[in-house]
Amino acid sequence: MPGVYRVDLLTRQVSAPDVDCSYGEPTEMLPPRNSEGLMDEMGESSGAYIIRIPFGPKDKYIPKELLWPYVPEFVDGALSHIIQMSKVLGDQIGNGHPVWPVAIHGHYADAGDSAALLSGALNVPMLFTGHSLGRDKLEQLLRQGRLSRDEINSTYKIMRRIEAEELSLDASEIVITSTRQEIEEQWRLYDGFDPILERKLRARIKRNVSCYGRSMPRMVVIPPGMEFNHIVPHEGDMDAETEVNEDGKSPDPPIWSEIMRFFSNPRKPMILALARPDPKKNLTTLVKSFGECRPLRELSNLMLIMGNRDNIDEMSSTNSSVLLSILKLIDKYDLYGQVAYPKHHRQSDVPDIYRLAAKTKGVFINPAFIEPFGLTLIEAAAHGLPIVATKNGGPVDIHRVLDNGLLVDPHDQQSIADALLKLVADKHLWAKCRANGLKNIHLFSWPEHCKTYLSKIAGCKPRQPRWLRNDDDENSESDSPSDSLRDIQDISLNLKFSLDGDKNESQENVDESLNPEDCKSKLENAVLSWSKGVLKSAQKSGTTDKGEQNSAASKFPALRRRKHIFVIAVDSETSTDLSESVRKIFEAVEKERTEGSIGFILATSFNVRELRSFLSTESLNPTDFDAFICNSGGDLYYSSLHSDDNSFVVDLYYHSQIEYRWGGEGLRKTLVRWASSITDKKGEKEDHLVVEDEKTSTDYCYSFKVRKPGVVPPVREIRKIMRIQALRCHVIYCQNGSKINVIPVLASRSQALRYLYLRWGMDLSKVVVFVGESGDTDYEGLLGGIHKSVVLKGVCSSANNQLHANRSYPLTDVIALDSPNIVRTTEVCSSADLRGSLDELGVLKG
């Protein structure tokens, strides 16, 4: 399409002996459809590409149900590719500035989960297409009654899939469906989507009225496209003279004779059904309709193309049962010579089958109980066949566009017979439906699909990391990072407004000449100016060795200079336990720590005031760490060497990165109402079990104290309540269930690490994350990805039952405990044992 410079299709790289070798190719360019003359207009890296990202077990194909533990690894690999490509395109067409993706589109649940994390990390719009949905599949499997809910979850990992689809709703700006039925009947099953509420919110947005923090993805129906260039509708009929070749043989396709041998009068109009013998396809009702309607039998033949078979006994029990029922019905109604049911056909025969039906002035029918889309209806219309189709599902949308047939109730046998008879008997109606189909079929072409698709993307508000925009505007190199940092500290000493994270802290020391909004603005500008200066300083300096660490080149952020980054994300039950883990990790790498080759990040549920208290109580220096991920990922701070009074510098760019769909005050009020509803009724006294913790809450983290952790509903319940009300957030139970942190939906400790990679180039493959045996409810995110993980055995072991017992899916579904990137220490490990674990990961070698 004109205006689209490049499209990357990201998927899994598989180098296994049982799949084609092309699946192991890391990059494959897809040649343009009209390559002549177009290649000259294309740029060096433009075009469409399949990019295969290695993740999961090497040299092994695994089913999609077993891929969940490796999704974070795919996200990290995809992120690396996107960043690399943005730089390449920036050099080629962006005047040296990175070229960011316009949108990320996830297909199916696992890719939706990946796209949500990528969208949050890159701060770009996300689109999602579910194709088939987990809740719908779960309902179908339960109705079949063959498997219990637990067996279904064990086989299909269905609850993890459903949560991925819920997250996709949380993160997507647009959800693309093939039909309206998919929206009304399938997506409505999800907590995060309500068709009525969506319409109300859309109306409020149009009227520029507040939605109180609520948001809903826009559902858009865009049917899949088809290629029609090769299709030539048949203009003749069975009465026309049949052409012959020079050798006297008919040029008709072989499949025609294979079908016509079934009919005593092959010139009659053929009613064509093309479907596998599945109960849902409702073919037995079609045969009954045909068999019991004498006028229809006299006027037409019935052609059933039901897949391929060699022996009915070798078919699945379900399919063989349907086929045997059909054969019995043919015998019952004595339909020999009027019904065709060939055993074999090739995919390449399908166009000829449509042509044969059209040549006889026949009709195509899809009598399925529910048809999600109905691609065969479009194919039939393109070959000039009128249609009769079920009124349940996608055919309604197709008929609305094509107006080339009749819709029927698939349960009404008489209705099916009447519709078929009407089209077969009324030649004027048949011709009108054929003409309408051929006239409107272009609306289902790929160019039409792409035009609609691109127009929807154009309607999304452009997003990209804020520092990219600000860096573009900054040309001056006179500002020193340290000067800007001093500006921050001068202002922050007067205004303790967000560096302390305390909304209620005394304002006695605030300079009265500055009003809070001016202070906030000056502080933010100072941070942004400092950040730009730091980045330029780092870009100029490149890598530094030990002797340069006190030079201007080695100024903040130190993250860029480290050979490895150790992230301490141990969710200990007490501060003493956490400090013990910290000291043990420090001791294990004391030599490298002193040299400066290893940096440290503390990732915790603490807010910055709690963090400062912890460091002070445990005699730890803030400068022992390069960065602090606080409030479970709601805030990001860096340590500062320049001030004894304020050792923490907030990253405001991080806030702009995570604020997407943050419900703000509307979310907070809803959470407070929820908290007040959680009570412990004993006699006449009613105790509130969850109360808002205003002192520790910040702009991007609402905190609540939990007085009786064992009585409070599991995390999935509050997440469900918020989603039902169209409030998008990430709810985390932390500190062994005594605290609840609610942060933006795409924020987390693991996402903060990806932000540091984007912002400062922190190589994720050089990161080691230390965790306990369990932890807060965001624990699983810390164990996946391309980074290494060390599980401290015996640490946080009791939190497992407290926080994770009521999960909607077990941790084993999403954590690859056999991954070579994860090691477990001994029960009571010394610093020497810990160093041995790091050696096992290959971290300290070389």
Side-chain angles (χ1 to χ4, degrees):
M1 296 296 290
V4 179
Y5 187 79
R6 181 180 172 107
V7 174
D8 281 0
L9 171 64
L10 307 183
T11 186
R12 183 175 181 236
Q13 185 183 34
V14 184
S15 302
D18 54 340
V19 298
D20 190 274
C21 62
S22 63
Y23 288 87
E25 291 295 324
T27 303
E28 181 181 342
M29 183 177 184
L30 304 177
R33 193 170 71 172
N34 302 314
S35 56
E36 291 184 13
L38 186 61
M39 295 303 291
D40 296 335
E41 301 174 14
M42 293 171 65
E44 185 178 345
S45 297
S46 67
Y49 296 82
I50 298 175
I51 307 296
R52 298 184 178 92
I53 308 293
F55 69 100
K58 294 180 180 178
D59 307 325
K60 183 181 179 183
Y61 177 85
I62 57 176
K64 65 181 186 299
E65 289 82 10
L66 302 181
L67 274 178
W68 291 112
Y70 311 107
V71 164
E73 193 180 337
F74 170 75
V75 172
D76 290 345
L79 198 58
S80 176
H81 164 76
I82 292 168
I83 298 305
Q84 182 182 2
M85 204 65 238
S86 73
K87 293 174 181 175
V88 170
L89 294 178
D91 292 338
Q92 293 175 3
I93 60 172
N95 296 320
H97 302 298
V99 174
W100 226 236
V102 173
I104 295 175
H105 191 156
H107 291 265
Y108 291 95
D110 44 9
D113 195 82
S114 305
L117 296 176
L118 285 168
S119 169
L122 295 163
N123 198 21
V124 299
M126 172 185 166
L127 297 86
F128 181 61
T129 302
H131 295 284
S132 66
L133 299 181
R135 286 198 189 275
D136 186 56
K137 180 167 185 170
L138 176 60
E139 284 198 352
Q140 290 181 28
L141 290 170
L142 288 173
R143 276 198 299 267
Q144 289 174 9
R146 297 194 196 102
L147 298 173
S148 68
R149 185 178 288 267
D150 288 342
E151 288 171 332
I152 292 169
N153 195 37
S154 175
T155 304
Y156 299 103
K157 312 297 184 220
I158 203 81
M159 299 313 296
R160 179 63 184 90
R161 172 178 171 177
I162 289 170
E163 177 54 31
E165 289 161 345
E166 291 281 12
L167 178 63
S168 299
L169 285 172
D170 289 338
S172 297
E173 295 204 17
I174 294 175
V175 173
I176 294 176
T177 70
S178 299
T179 65
R180 176 60 51 183
Q181 182 267 350
E182 191 178 336
I183 300 172
E184 302 291 345
E185 301 297 327
Q186 296 182 51
W187 276 119
R188 70 168 183 82
L189 300 173
Y190 285 76
D191 300 332
F193 181 74
D194 179 345
I196 297 173
L197 183 55
E198 188 228 12
R199 288 191 285 270
K200 288 181 179 178
L201 292 176
R202 196 68 53 204
R204 293 182 73 89
I205 291 169
K206 285 182 179 178
R207 299 201 313 270
N208 202 25
V209 177
S210 172
C211 293
Y212 301 104
R214 288 164 171 77
S215 57
M216 195 79 75
R218 187 152 43 109
M219 292 281 173
V220 177
V221 178
I222 310 179
M226 275 190 62
E227 184 61 71
F228 300 124
N229 293 340
H230 65 287
I231 297 175
V232 179
H234 196 90
E235 297 297 338
D237 54 42
M238 293 299 287
D239 296 327
E241 285 190 25
T242 303
E243 296 180 7
V244 294
N245 292 331
E246 293 179 1
D247 58 5
K249 293 183 179 179
S250 167
D252 291 343
I255 191 67
W256 285 18
S257 58
E258 177 65 21
I259 291 169
M260 287 193 290
R261 70 184 177 87
F262 283 88
F263 299 129
S264 55
N265 182 2
R267 294 182 180 276
K268 289 196 296 186
M270 293 184 188
I271 296 168
L272 168 62
L274 185 65
R276 65 186 185 276
D278 185 295
K280 293 182 291 186
K281 297 302 180 180
N282 199 28
L283 293 177
T284 52
T285 302
L286 170 62
V287 178
K288 288 178 185 177
S289 299
F290 184 75
E292 294 182 10
C293 182
R294 180 174 292 276
L296 187 60
R297 288 168 55 181
E298 291 175 350
L299 283 176
S300 61
N301 291 320
L302 180 61
M303 182 182 0
L304 302 174
I305 307 298
M306 299 179 289
N308 291 284
R309 64 185 183 278
D310 290 317
N311 189 330
I312 294 179
D313 293 335
E314 294 174 357
M315 299 171 67
S316 70
S317 59
T318 303
N319 289 357
S320 64
S321 175
V322 172
L323 187 55
L324 286 171
S325 296
I326 289 171
L327 294 176
K328 289 177 181 178
L329 288 170
I330 291 172
D331 188 72
K332 175 183 177 180
Y333 296 113
D334 194 15
L335 299 178
Y336 299 106
Q338 295 177 281
V339 180
Y341 41 96
K343 292 181 70 169
H344 297 284
H345 73 279
R346 297 189 304 271
Q347 185 61 34
S348 58
D349 292 330
V350 173
D352 293 324
I353 293 170
Y354 286 125
R355 285 178 55 233
L356 176 59
K359 184 181 176 73
T360 64
K361 290 187 165 47
V363 176
F364 181 82
I365 181 167
N366 180 338
F369 291 119
I370 295 178
E371 181 57 61
F373 180 60
L375 194 61
T376 53
L377 296 171
I378 297 173
E379 292 174 344
H383 286 86
L385 275 169
I387 64 169
V388 172
T390 176
K391 67 176 185 178
N392 299 328
V396 176
D397 295 319
I398 294 171
H399 180 263
R400 187 182 297 120
V401 173
L402 296 181
D403 189 23
N404 69 329
L406 302 169
L407 298 178
V408 295
D409 179 353
H411 298 278
D412 188 340
Q413 186 177 310
Q414 189 60 46
S415 173
I416 293 173
D418 290 345
L420 289 169
L421 183 61
K422 191 173 184 180
L423 280 170
V424 170
D426 189 339
K427 296 302 180 185
H428 176 74
L429 177 62
W430 185 92
K432 179 184 175 183
C433 289
R434 169 188 163 89
N436 285 348
L438 292 173
K439 180 180 70 174
N440 298 320
I441 197 66
H442 73 279
L443 296 172
F444 289 98
S445 66
W446 278 120
E448 198 69 27
H449 173 97
C450 293
K451 286 177 190 174
T452 307
Y453 176 75
L454 293 174
S455 71
K456 301 304 177 185
I457 291 180
C460 295
K461 183 181 178 181
R463 290 177 13 227
Q464 66 175 27
R466 188 170 164 190
W467 72 81
L468 289 179
R469 299 197 297 270
N470 283 281
D471 286 349
D472 289 347
D473 298 334
E474 183 65 45
N475 296 316
S476 170
E477 298 186 6
S478 59
D479 293 335
S480 152
S482 58
D483 290 341
S484 298
L485 191 56
R486 283 191 213 99
D487 292 340
I488 295 169
Q489 279 139 12
D490 290 342
I491 297 171
S492 65
L493 287 174
N494 284 331
L495 178 70
K496 300 180 185 289
F497 107 99
S498 74
L499 296 183
D500 288 343
D502 299 340
K503 292 184 175 180
N504 298 333
E505 190 159 333
S506 170
Q507 297 293 314
E508 292 176 4
N509 296 326
V510 176
D511 186 343
E512 293 180 1
S513 65
L514 294 174
N515 68 55
E517 286 304 313
D518 287 342
C519 291
K520 182 174 180 177
S521 176
K522 289 188 178 184
L523 177 59
E524 184 168 346
N525 289 337
V527 172
L528 301 185
S529 174
W530 161 76
S531 296
K532 286 181 281 188
V534 168
L535 182 58
K536 288 182 177 175
S537 173
Q539 286 172 336
K540 288 179 188 175
S541 65
T543 56
T544 61
D545 43 28
K546 298 174 194 172
E548 296 176 311
Q549 287 192 10
N550 293 321
S551 70
S554 66
K555 288 176 181 172
F556 185 87
L559 291 168
R560 298 175 68 92
R561 295 183 283 104
R562 308 298 191 188
K563 186 175 180 183
H564 292 282
I565 297 290
F566 284 11
V567 180
I568 301 174
V570 180
D571 301 320
S572 297
E573 296 173 30
T574 66
S575 295
T576 304
D577 291 343
L578 176 57
S579 67
E580 183 182 338
S581 296
V582 170
R583 293 183 197 284
K584 198 174 291 183
I585 293 167
F586 281 178
E587 289 170 11
V589 289
E590 186 60 37
K591 174 175 172 288
E592 292 82 359
R593 179 169 166 256
T594 304
E595 292 173 348
S597 62
I598 293 179
F600 296 87
I601 296 173
L602 188 60
T604 174
S605 61
F606 294 160
N607 78 337
V608 75
R609 188 179 69 169
E610 293 170 320
L611 176 65
R612 185 183 284 116
S613 173
F614 162 73
L615 294 175
S616 174
T617 302
E618 302 300 329
S619 302
L620 292 168
N621 195 319
T623 55
D624 289 336
F625 300 89
D626 293 333
F628 304 92
I629 300 169
C630 298
N631 291 317
S632 305
D635 292 290
L636 178 62
Y637 295 86
Y638 305 104
S639 60
S640 166
L641 296 168
H642 297 273
S643 171
D644 294 330
D645 297 321
N646 202 335
S647 303
F648 303 90
V649 179
V650 67
D651 189 334
L652 295 178
Y653 277 132
Y654 179 70
H655 286 161
S656 70
Q657 193 81 349
I658 65 172
E659 66 184 359
Y660 174 66
R661 286 197 170 161
W662 179 233
E665 188 63 12
L667 170 63
R668 189 193 69 80
K669 288 180 178 178
T670 305
L671 288 166
V672 170
R673 284 196 297 271
W674 169 81
S676 65
S677 71
I678 308 300
T679 57
D680 186 15
K681 297 179 181 178
K682 288 185 177 178
E684 297 180 0
K685 189 177 180 182
E686 186 175 83
D687 292 331
H688 289 282
L689 299 179
V690 182
V691 292
E692 183 182 14
D693 190 353
E694 294 185 52
K695 288 186 178 180
T696 61
S697 293
T698 65
D699 288 342
Y700 292 92
C701 178
Y702 298 142
S703 297
F704 294 80
K705 293 178 181 176
V706 181
R707 289 172 174 163
K708 291 186 179 179
V711 185
V712 175
V715 66
R716 67 169 186 256
E717 290 300 322
I718 179 173
R719 192 164 52 205
K720 177 179 180 177
I721 291 168
M722 294 302 113
R723 279 173 171 159
I724 287 172
Q725 299 188 59
L727 290 164
R728 315 294 171 175
C729 56
H730 185 187
V731 182
I732 301 141
Y733 282 24
C734 42
Q735 297 179 20
N736 205 22
S738 64
K739 183 179 181 181
I740 299 173
N741 280 343
V742 182
I743 60 178
V745 65
L746 295 177
S748 68
R749 288 185 285 180
S750 55
Q751 283 289 87
L753 297 180
R754 294 187 177 107
Y755 169 85
L756 291 171
Y757 163 57
L758 249 72
R759 185 76 178 99
W760 303 116
M762 183 184 80
D763 188 346
L764 292 174
S765 67
K766 302 294 184 182
V767 170
V768 181
V769 178
F770 293 84
V771 297
E773 283 194 85
S774 186
D776 300 347
T777 53
D778 64 345
Y779 177 78
E780 69 189 60
L782 297 166
L783 284 170
I786 62 173
H787 65 255
K788 311 290 192 299
S789 297
V790 176
V791 180
L792 304 178
K793 205 168 180 184
V795 177
C796 311
S797 55
S798 66
N800 186 45
N801 293 332
Q802 182 66 50
L803 297 182
H804 298 284
N806 291 316
R807 301 173 61 86
S808 55
Y809 52 85
L811 281 173
T812 51
D813 282 1
V814 290
I815 296 178
L817 295 176
D818 58 346
S819 167
N821 284 340
I822 300 176
V823 298
R824 291 174 170 273
T825 66
T826 55
E827 183 74 42
V828 182
C829 71
S830 64
S831 57
D833 295 329
L834 204 52
R835 190 172 182 92
S837 297
L838 293 169
D839 285 334
E840 188 180 338
L841 288 171
V843 172
L844 302 179
K845 294 177 181 176

